[in-house]
Amino acid sequence: MANTAIILINYKNPKITLECVESLIRLQSSDYTIYVVDNAADENTKGEFERSILFQYIKYIPSKDNLGFAGGNNIAIQRALDDGCDYIMLLNNTVVDSSFLDEMKRYCNSKTVVVPKIYYFDEPSVLWYAGGIINWISGDTHHTGAGKVDDGSYDKVEKVEFASGCCILMNKNVIEKVGMLDESYFMYYEDTDFCARLKETIDIVYVPTAKIWHKVGASSSGEYSKFTAYYMAKNRLKFISKYSHNNLQRAYLRTIASGIKGYILNRNSKVSIKALKDFIKEQRT
């Protein structure tokens, strides 16, 4: 069995997923297996995968329900562990450099998880992620270098606080120690929650020589669609309630301000108000 499981989640977009597979089969490393979880699989998506010449390179896992990012990944993580994989990678809507897996595995062990340098796919020299931090008052996450042209300023291997779910490589022992993704988030903040559980015992290491290009928002109708804005706002409150409860009132105010600004400027962040209401309702039940 391959040493590394690379897990992709598909939701109604086999083309994007297969483009990722196409880049993965060019990896310099050969010791890996690609698992594709097809959320809300139907005959159309299943047929599109099966008709592709790339189907032979994947382990296809259909799910009749949409389990979200966390639930879909957890199915494949368990399958990979059962198959005997020693390393697990979560990878989302990207194309990759042919050496990125080897570069990441150089730093990955039972006491570290590893993240790459991530660029925007549509702007290949512009950074999307070069490390990250968590604001424990508001719950916001910040991507270091986001929106900047890569000029070499973010080329240092270093420990970081936040690993984006876009790409994370971990040893199986990490999962055995801290558990899988929290499926109650459904979409967004499951990676932040995972990082919070790593915080005391596992280092997150940013490796800039490992490079990928992210098709941002490909699974959610854009980088900041209403869907994204709603789940980001709601799950940010859930995260603060769980890990920094004393700051929850301030997180409420941040969410209200975002919603009001959204109404004034007619932006998608106006759904933050609904997210706040739904979060409070769920807390009372």
Side-chain angles (χ1 to χ4, degrees):
M1 182 61 202
N3 188 248
T4 303
I6 302 177
I7 298 171
L8 314 179
I9 305 299
N10 179 72
Y11 178 66
K12 304 296 185 183
N13 204 335
K15 180 177 181 294
I16 294 288
T17 303
L18 289 168
E19 286 170 354
C20 183
V21 173
E22 186 174 9
S23 73
L24 288 171
I25 65 175
R26 300 192 182 101
L27 289 179
Q28 293 175 5
S29 172
S30 60
D31 194 18
Y32 64 94
T33 298
I34 305 168
Y35 294 78
V36 174
V37 178
D38 191 7
N39 268 336
D42 57 26
E43 291 305 312
N44 290 330
T45 58
K46 184 179 180 182
E48 194 166 342
F49 278 111
E50 291 177 338
R51 287 191 297 271
S52 171
I53 60 173
L54 298 171
F55 190 72
Q56 62 184 305
Y57 297 104
I58 68 174
K59 283 198 171 185
Y60 177 71
I61 306 172
S63 171
K64 66 177 181 179
D65 300 316
N66 180 9
L67 303 175
F69 185 78
N73 272 298
N74 284 347
I75 285 179
I77 290 170
Q78 189 59 60
R79 177 75 66 85
L81 293 175
D82 292 343
D83 287 344
C85 293
D86 294 320
Y87 295 90
I88 307 293
M89 174 179 283
L90 311 185
L91 188 64
N92 183 40
N93 296 334
T94 64
V95 295
V96 305
D97 183 77
S98 63
S99 66
F100 96 114
L101 178 57
D102 287 341
E103 290 295 315
M104 292 176 75
K105 287 183 74 171
R106 289 172 57 199
Y107 297 88
C108 190
N109 55 58
S110 61
K111 296 183 179 180
T112 65
V113 302
V114 179
V115 290
K117 180 184 283 185
I118 307 175
Y119 300 89
Y120 281 93
F121 178 80
D122 292 332
E123 299 179 273
S125 63
V126 176
L127 294 167
W128 184 76
Y129 173 95
I133 60 174
I134 300 170
N135 184 322
W136 295 92
I137 296 175
S138 68
D140 291 286
T141 57
H142 173 71
H143 290 193
T144 304
K148 296 181 179 180
V149 174
D150 186 12
D151 62 0
S153 298
Y154 305 99
D155 284 351
K156 179 182 177 182
V157 175
E158 60 184 355
K159 296 177 185 178
V160 297
E161 187 176 34
F162 170 68
S164 168
C166 176
C167 184
I168 305 174
L169 177 67
M170 66 197 87
N171 185 279
K172 66 178 182 180
N173 293 327
V174 171
I175 297 170
E176 291 168 357
K177 187 169 187 177
V178 303
M180 297 192 193
L181 301 177
D182 184 343
E183 296 181 19
S184 68
Y185 287 92
F186 185 69
M187 286 287 291
Y188 304 113
Y189 272 83
E190 65 286 294
D191 50 4
T192 317
D193 180 277
F194 189 72
C195 292
R197 286 184 275 140
L198 295 173
K199 188 174 175 63
E200 299 302 323
T201 56
I202 306 293
D203 290 331
I204 302 170
V205 179
Y206 162 68
V207 178
T209 51
K211 301 177 182 181
I212 68 174
W213 289 261
H214 185 26
K215 298 176 182 179
V216 181
S219 298
S220 54
S221 304
E223 183 171 8
Y224 204 65
S225 64
K226 286 184 178 180
F227 176 91
T228 300
Y230 174 82
Y231 277 101
M232 288 288 281
K234 185 180 177 185
N235 287 342
R236 182 170 53 244
L237 293 170
K238 176 182 175 67
F239 175 80
I240 284 293
S241 178
K242 184 176 179 180
Y243 292 103
S244 189
H245 192 80
N246 290 341
N247 290 308
L248 188 56
Q249 293 301 320
R250 279 190 275 187
Y252 282 173
L253 293 175
R254 179 253 187 270
T255 305
I256 292 168
S258 178
I260 291 172
K261 184 177 180 180
Y263 276 106
I264 293 172
L265 300 177
N266 193 29
R267 293 179 178 171
N268 288 335
S269 59
K270 61 188 176 183
V271 301
S272 298
I273 302 297
K274 175 174 171 40
L276 174 59
K277 291 179 179 177
D278 288 348
F279 172 77
I280 292 173
K281 182 179 179 181
E282 288 179 9
Q283 295 300 296
R284 292 173 175 171
T285 59

